[in-house]
Structures are given as C-alpha cells and as structure tokens.
Amino acid sequence: MGSEIVNMAAIAIRKGLTLNEVKEWVFSHPVFTELFIDAVELSTGSNVYLPKR
C-alpha cells in the first residue's frame, strides 16, 4: 500500500499539482494490495470480514 502512495505523490509532484487538484482524485477501492492481503487472511482463516466462529 505504501508504494501506491509514493507513486501517487510522485505523479502529483512531477505534474506540479496543487493540493486542491490532488484532493479531487478518485481512487478505486479496494486496491490490489488490499485484495492480496484479504486473500492471504482468508486463506489462513483470520480475515476481519468473516464472522467469528
């Protein structure tokens, strides 16, 4: 997840965007890294989305 933040910050800096312009960005959710972590957690039975047994 951190690398995604770094990449987005790098794009904003390179393009010389203002904070107000960056604030208007729309991000998809969940991002790939969240899906990967969820898959790992589901595989081990420790996902926060599952009801406790």
Side-chain angles (χ1 to χ4, degrees):
M1 288 183 232
S3 63
E4 293 167 2
I5 294 169
V6 171
N7 288 332
M8 297 310 291
I11 291 169
I13 291 167
R14 175 174 263 179
K15 291 185 154 285
L17 300 177
T18 66
L19 290 177
N20 284 326
E21 290 171 319
V22 173
K23 185 173 69 172
E24 298 301 318
W25 286 358
V26 176
F27 296 95
S28 62
H29 181 75
V31 294
F32 177 75
T33 49
E34 289 175 307
L35 294 173
F36 179 76
I37 291 168
D38 286 346
V40 169
E41 289 178 345
L42 281 169
S43 296
T44 61
S46 63
N47 190 281
V48 297
Y49 305 112
L50 294 175
K52 295 200 188 266
R53 295 181 186 194

